Amino acid sequence: MKFATFLYQPEPAEGVDINFYRIKPESGTVGKPNPKMYTNIAVFGDNAMAQKHPEWISVSKDGPSFRRLTAPKVNGIKPGNKKYNLRWDVLCMTNPEVREYNLTLIEDCARQTPGISISSQHFADHGFCVCPRCVELWRQSGLNWYDWRAQTVTEFLKEVKDCIGGKPLYVNMLPDPVLGRERFGYDFDALAEYADVFVIPMFSKAYPSPWYWEMLARAFKSKLKKPVFTNLYVRGPNDDPKQVPTTEQLLTVAVRIARTGVDGIIFLAETAQRIRDFQKAAVQSTNVLAELDGYGGDEVIDLVSRWKSLF
């Protein structure tokens, strides 16, 4: 099993196998590649681009895919769509300018870094996108609505794969193992032809019910034909330290996920220092580790044991 970090700053953490740098998160800001870190790019989730070009936003019969929380003002009003669980603004994935912009960034990062991770490379949710361009492309395809959306998502992933020069490709997919095709356009088998690893984000500000995340991990591991990593939330940007998962919760859910047979676990944090703080707290959680011994997630217990050498 591999362990990794998912960081918002280009400084790698110690004690893990892989560090991912979120060079372009859904905020739309873009950093500079670190040759020592894998690069993550959020593709069609892009708040900055949506603010600059609101006409590029994905649309449904129930409104555009502007985020519900802290939505940007467009023409002086806040257009956040309350009918969907949108955490960021989602641009239309058939927009040629958006595709070219992101593919160019991905190709540039692939030349400079050891691997690529992409997020938000799918439709916003069920009902998207019914802009005139998407409707016409759907009509021309001769496919039914769901098949066309799945084909569109898969073909974009193929374009990504073709432009990264053989570097490993980590593909993030939102955690719906049942309706992922209908909601986002995921064809698990077709995507597996181009993904080297699937990553399932399991972000939460608390993990009081580890069985739920274990169930999701087990479901995805059974369905996906490539290695599966999960991604757990430690502490993101601007988080109140009192409103993030406890070390006990993180260790417990990691152990429970590890015993499902997944191939890796990633830890999201704002910076390498936040990871180091978590690592130190994990090493000091001797009672928790003793309780978790025997659960079947020995890889996590062994990882924490190795972290002792960092302090």
Side-chain angles (χ1 to χ4, degrees), residues 117-118 121 157 169-173 194-200:
S117 160
I118 59 170
Q121 74 292 345
L157 188 61
L169 178 59
Y170 289 71
V171 178
N172 291 259
M173 296 197 304
Y194 307 108
D196 293 297
V197 177
F198 287 112
V199 179
I200 311 302

Side-chain angles (χ1 to χ4, degrees), residues 238-308:
N238 304 315
D239 276 342
D240 182 339
K242 297 179 181 179
Q243 297 181 0
V244 296
T246 65
T247 302
E248 179 178 357
Q249 287 179 346
L250 282 164
L251 290 174
T252 301
V253 74
V255 165
R256 295 279 291 266
I257 287 173
R259 71 184 184 183
T260 68
V262 298
D263 304 277
I265 295 176
I266 304 171
F267 297 102
L268 176 149
E270 181 180 11
T271 64
Q273 182 58 51
R274 299 291 188 219
I275 290 294
R276 187 171 178 83
D277 294 342
F278 164 60
Q279 291 169 325
K280 185 175 183 179
V283 167
Q284 295 173 342
S285 300
T286 53
N287 290 339
V288 176
L289 294 168
E291 169 61 26
L292 294 174
D293 187 29
Y295 271 48
D298 293 345
E299 296 91 343
V300 175
I301 306 296
D302 294 342
L303 173 70
V304 176
S305 181
R306 294 195 297 273
W307 284 347
K308 293 178 182 178

Side-chain angles (χ1 to χ4, degrees), residues 23 31 33 39 102-113 116 163-164 167:
I23 195 170
T39 305
N102 280 283
L103 288 170
T104 299
L105 176 61
I106 290 168
E107 184 175 10
D108 182 58
C109 290
R111 284 196 297 265
Q112 302 181 60
T113 64
I116 294 295
C163 77
I164 64 174
K167 297 290 180 69

Side-chain angles (χ1 to χ4, degrees), residues 63-77:
S65 53
F66 284 113
R67 62 194 185 277
R68 180 173 57 84
L69 302 177
T70 61
K73 287 187 177 181
V74 177
N75 297 327
I77 62 172

Side-chain angles (χ1 to χ4, degrees), residues 12-268:
E14 296 180 288
V16 293
D17 301 295
I18 301 169
N19 284 281
F20 292 95
Y21 168 41
R22 302 212 71 197
I23 195 170
K24 178 181 176 275
E26 286 82 4
S27 65
T29 58
V30 180
K32 295 182 179 180
N34 182 337
K36 296 181 179 180
M37 302 176 74
Y38 285 52
T39 305
N40 171 258
I41 297 101
V43 182
F44 301 108
D46 192 325
N47 298 343
M49 190 71 77
Q51 181 75 1
K52 184 177 180 180
H53 290 285
E55 72 277 12
W56 290 356
I57 202 74
S58 179
V59 296
S60 74
K61 67 179 180 62
D62 291 317
S65 53
F66 284 113
R67 62 194 185 277
R68 180 173 57 84
L69 302 177
T70 61
K73 287 187 177 181
V74 177
N75 297 327
I77 62 172
K78 289 187 176 182
N81 193 331
K82 295 182 178 180
K83 294 185 178 181
Y84 291 92
N85 297 317
L86 300 168
R87 297 290 297 182
W88 46 79
D89 303 330
V90 184
L91 303 172
C92 174
M93 71 171 301
T94 67
N95 182 295
E97 292 94 340
V98 177
R99 292 169 72 96
E100 181 180 2
Y101 167 70
N102 280 283
L103 288 170
T104 299
L105 176 61
I106 290 168
E107 184 175 10
D108 182 58
C109 290
R111 284 196 297 265
Q112 302 181 60
T113 64
I116 294 295
S117 160
I118 59 170
S119 312
S120 302
Q121 74 292 345
H122 48 76
F123 286 97
D125 209 326
H126 64 88
F128 292 94
C129 175
V130 293
C131 72
R133 179 181 51 251
C134 281
V135 171
E136 179 59 19
L137 288 170
W138 169 40
R139 186 191 66 79
Q140 292 176 6
S141 74
L143 301 172
N144 69 42
W145 173 244
Y146 294 114
D147 287 346
W148 172 75
R149 292 168 86 245
Q151 181 186 76
T152 301
V153 172
T154 301
E155 287 180 347
F156 180 77
L157 188 61
K158 181 180 184 301
E159 289 188 61
V160 171
K161 186 70 172 179
D162 289 343
C163 77
I164 64 174
K167 297 290 180 69
L169 178 59
Y170 289 71
V171 178
N172 291 259
M173 296 197 304
L174 295 179
D176 190 338
V178 178
L179 295 176
R181 189 174 192 275
E182 290 79 2
R183 293 181 65 193
F184 309 116
Y186 298 151
D187 181 331
F188 293 151
D189 290 347
L191 294 174
E193 294 185 31
Y194 307 108
D196 293 297
V197 177
F198 287 112
V199 179
I200 311 302
M202 297 186 176
F203 301 148
S204 180
K205 293 294 184 74
Y207 295 101
S209 302
W211 65 266
Y212 173 78
W213 308 101
E214 180 180 0
M215 174 191 66
L216 279 177
R218 200 177 300 279
F220 275 107
K221 182 60 180 173
S222 71
K223 284 179 172 289
L224 299 176
K225 295 181 178 179
K226 286 291 178 68
V228 177
F229 283 33
T230 63
N231 198 343
L232 298 175
Y233 194 95
V234 177
R235 183 175 171 183
N238 304 315
D239 276 342
D240 182 339
K242 297 179 181 179
Q243 297 181 0
V244 296
T246 65
T247 302
E248 179 178 357
Q249 287 179 346
L250 282 164
L251 290 174
T252 301
V253 74
V255 165
R256 295 279 291 266
I257 287 173
R259 71 184 184 183
T260 68
V262 298
D263 304 277
I265 295 176
I266 304 171
F267 297 102
L268 176 149

